[in-house]
Amino acid sequence: MLSTVARLALAVVWAWAGLAKIADPDVATRAVRAYEIFPEVLVKPIAWGLPFVELGLAALLLIGLACRPAAWVSAILFVSFIAMIGSAWARGLSIDCGCFGGGGVTSTGDAVRYAQETVRDLVFLGLAVFVAVGPSSYVSVDQRMTS
Amino acid sequence: MASGHKRRGGGVSKQWWIVIGVFVAALAIGIIVQSSRSKSENAHVVAPKHALGPNGSEIEGATSAPVTVQEYADFQCPSCKAFHDSMSSTVDKLVKDGKIRFAYTYFPFIGEESVRSAAAAVCAGDQRKFFPYSNILYTEQRSENSGFLTSDQLVAFGKDAGITGSAFDTFEKCVRANTYDGFVRRSAENGSKRGIHQTPTLLVTGPSAKTFELGDQQLASSVAFEQAVADVAAGKT
């Protein structure tokens, strides 16, 4: 039961994150570029591909198809996000994480909340690991295929 | 059914292939769909009819000035208004004294009203009224994306900026046709590529160079700002 809830919660997180980033491709581009991590050739593929990957993961988790691998991939992504936020933080960059939309650009000084963003992603990471290694969940395609 | 799956031994690795397939397909679809939707990617860029400074900026001051102050700003950004309100008299003074050349670079990122107002300001620039027009945009600034900056409103601001007669007709047509929409979008994209990720950002360049962002006292204090200009003019880093 708990793993079903965790799986669906993870699906909602990905759906929310993906949809928020799709609205404006230019905003997404600026958000990725603002981290100053990726070479320019990779900025747009990441900015434009990632939200669709997030929606893909949301769909898999929602219907419960290939849940554990999808959760592992989710966990890897969250670890990467936490590392990127930490890197921006350590380098003293003043950016918005762009996690749920937003252009990585800040127009107000208090908009930077690296600690909050990190804690939030740690919670999501915990959720993903739980889905990946926890008990099987109900109402899933995986379950129908294996029972 | 279960034994069937297990006998074939493909259960787990097959699931991984599903996830990898979805991942790659989503990535490819995303890149294709979003590149067709990107407004800066597909922007029809019309070059302004008036002369521009570095990075497509609006300039005032003598080219002989030893220091250039380039500001990246968005007319909807509250901190840009704050900088404008507290520092424009200092900037004007330094420009008049021939100490700096001031360059305003379009960086509209807050929303469609940012793009619209920036594009209208370029139209005002065509009529040699960029700076009076930008003063009005800051004076009349409302909350971000409130719906206040309609084409009608932006046209009306032209009158307030002192655009009259046939120049006003040209200005109005320019605003209503969204003539410079692509130009200002591309300007923001180029600024982002140069590492600008907040507004206002001030690049003070001359014999040396300094960058100031939100929170730096040079954006709020005339003394600190003039000191920074003097330091750059003296080649201090």
Side-chain angles (χ1 to χ4, degrees):
Chain A
M1 183 63 199
L2 205 57
S3 52
T4 313
V5 173
R7 195 192 88 211
L8 295 178
L10 197 57
V12 169
V13 168
W14 280 136
W16 174 29
L19 288 174
K21 291 193 199 76
I22 280 176
D24 189 337
D26 297 334
V27 169
T29 304
R30 285 197 288 271
V32 172
R33 199 180 276 135
Y35 282 92
E36 297 177 7
I37 289 175
F38 303 102
E40 186 58 33
V41 289
L42 289 182
V43 166
K44 282 175 182 169
I46 292 169
W48 296 346
L50 180 64
F52 284 73
V53 167
E54 293 176 345
L55 286 183
L57 290 171
L60 289 175
L61 290 161
L62 188 68
I63 63 170
L65 176 62
C67 281
R68 291 181 195 278
W72 277 121
V73 171
S74 304
I76 293 166
L77 284 173
F78 287 128
V79 168
S80 319
F81 296 162
I82 292 166
M84 284 168 62
I85 292 168
S87 151
W89 197 353
R91 283 175 293 151
L93 292 180
S94 173
I95 62 172
D96 170 275
C97 75
C99 304
F100 295 91
V105 189
T106 53
S107 63
T108 49
D110 58 353
V112 183
R113 301 189 192 90
Y114 290 121
Q116 275 183 324
E117 291 164 359
T118 305
V119 169
R120 189 183 57 198
D121 278 4
L122 282 170
V123 171
F124 294 159
L125 175 62
L127 210 55
V129 171
F130 182 73
V131 174
V133 301
S136 296
S137 63
Y138 300 106
V139 212
S140 73
V141 176
D142 290 344
Q143 188 193 26
R144 292 178 66 94
M145 285 167 72
T146 52
S147 61
Chain B
M1 282 303 281
S3 60
H5 260 100
K6 277 175 188 153
R7 204 167 45 238
R8 273 181 269 140
V12 170
S13 73
K14 194 171 130 198
Q15 287 196 353
W16 271 101
W17 281 115
I18 291 172
V19 172
I20 292 167
V22 167
F23 192 100
V24 172
L27 205 60
I29 292 169
I31 294 168
I32 293 166
V33 169
Q34 295 298 72
S35 74
S36 74
R37 290 182 64 235
S38 164
K39 284 180 179 161
S40 83
E41 197 81 354
N42 304 300
H44 174 58
V45 179
V46 175
K49 294 184 181 64
H50 60 289
L52 295 169
N55 303 326
S57 56
E58 303 288 349
I59 42 170
E60 59 178 354
T63 46
S64 60
V67 172
T68 299
V69 175
Q70 186 177 182
E71 182 195 8
Y72 284 84
D74 181 319
F75 291 118
Q76 285 206 95
C77 138
S79 308
C80 301
K81 175 180 164 61
F83 170 73
H84 180 266
D85 289 352
S86 59
M87 300 300 286
S88 57
S89 59
T90 307
V91 168
D92 289 349
K93 189 185 81 179
L94 292 170
V95 164
K96 267 197 197 95
D97 293 349
K99 289 189 176 152
I100 64 168
R101 195 157 79 120
F102 182 77
Y104 178 99
T105 308
Y106 297 100
F107 194 73
F109 73 98
I110 291 170
E112 285 306 301
E113 289 182 54
S114 301
V115 172
R116 218 180 294 152
S117 54
V122 184
C123 296
D126 276 352
Q127 310 308 325
R128 302 285 177 270
K129 294 287 187 193
F130 169 81
F131 286 98
Y133 193 81
S134 70
N135 287 341
I136 290 163
L137 286 173
Y138 282 128
T139 310
E140 296 292 324
Q141 191 185 78
R142 302 291 199 274
S143 58
E144 296 174 3
N145 302 318
S146 64
F148 172 63
L149 295 171
T150 59
S151 294
D152 287 343
Q153 187 61 66
L154 291 166
V155 167
F157 284 162
K159 274 217 168 74
D160 302 338
I163 304 172
T164 53
S166 66
F168 182 80
D169 297 339
T170 312
F171 166 79
E172 177 167 9
K173 258 183 229 146
C174 175
V175 173
R176 294 198 188 280
N178 301 318
T179 310
Y180 295 122
D181 187 286
F183 172 77
V184 299
R185 282 183 203 279
R186 188 60 58 83
S187 174
E189 170 71 5
N190 290 340
S192 157
K193 280 183 185 162
R194 281 190 292 270
I196 306 299
H197 32 68
Q198 57 168 289
T199 57
T201 296
L202 238 56
L203 308 183
V204 183
T205 54
S208 66
K210 287 174 190 280
T211 301
F212 301 108
E213 294 178 339
L214 206 68
D216 290 332
Q217 58 167 344
Q218 285 80 1
L219 297 188
S221 147
S222 299
V223 175
F225 181 77
E226 290 194 52
Q227 186 59 51
V229 168
D231 286 351
V232 169
K236 286 188 207 162
T237 51

